[in-house]
Amino acid sequence: MSALVCVARIGAAHGVRGAVKLWTFTEDPFAVRHYGPLLSKDGKRQFEVATAREAKDHLVATFKDVTTRDEAERLNGIELYVPREKLPATDEDEYYHTDLIGLAAVTTDGDALGRVVAIQNFGAGDIIEIAPPKGPTLLLPFSNAVVPEVDLAGGRVVIALPQEIEGEESDDEALSPGRPRESGDP
């Protein structure tokens, strides 16, 4: 089976006839109706959208063979996937997360940094998460300045490490070891 891509997540039951809140991760929220059966993460369960209508920030959907609120409640939290090949092609400089995860990360000089383990977005833009062979993961902006090259065929991303990461203390601002910061310290 090819790589699976998460396209939606089932939320709480909606009403008494088996409808659920459905959060989609596709450009067109209604596209989930056109991919065929949606799969659970393990690929063992299939869900086919019977109806969908737009709500405030999600869809209200029903699935074939889900007709009661109790059945709908048991689906809460299930993520829905489709095989990668069912998704449309991406534009230049556009990538599906699944295409990036697992790629080798190297510096602009070709030195190994680790592997891409996730693409995150906490509301301020995409962040690429890289796991080095040792130590904590690196979280860097997923921008053209920091990630100037994505080579899917070559299995790598090139990272231009920033000289300074906003929010870190500079050496002259750091406290000396063993000295706690007082509430009145500048």
Side-chain angles (χ1 to χ4, degrees), residues 74-158:
R74 287 192 290 273
L75 303 178
N76 191 359
I78 293 176
E79 291 180 331
L80 301 174
Y81 294 78
V82 296
R84 167 67 174 87
E85 66 268 5
K86 287 194 173 190
L87 297 173
T90 58
D91 291 335
E92 188 177 332
D93 288 337
E94 246 185 7
Y95 310 95
Y96 289 113
H97 291 192
T98 193
D99 294 340
L100 300 171
I101 294 170
L103 294 181
V106 298
T107 66
T108 53
D109 295 331
D111 298 330
L113 285 174
R115 293 241 170 244
V116 176
V117 293
I119 305 297
Q120 310 283 358
N121 190 318
F122 303 109
D126 288 333
I127 295 171
I128 189 168
E129 184 174 352
I130 300 167
K134 293 182 182 178
T137 60
L138 302 170
L139 298 173
L140 300 166
F142 189 58
S143 65
N144 288 334
V146 176
V147 187
E149 182 182 346
V150 174
D151 180 4
L152 294 177
R156 69 185 195 132
V157 293
V158 175

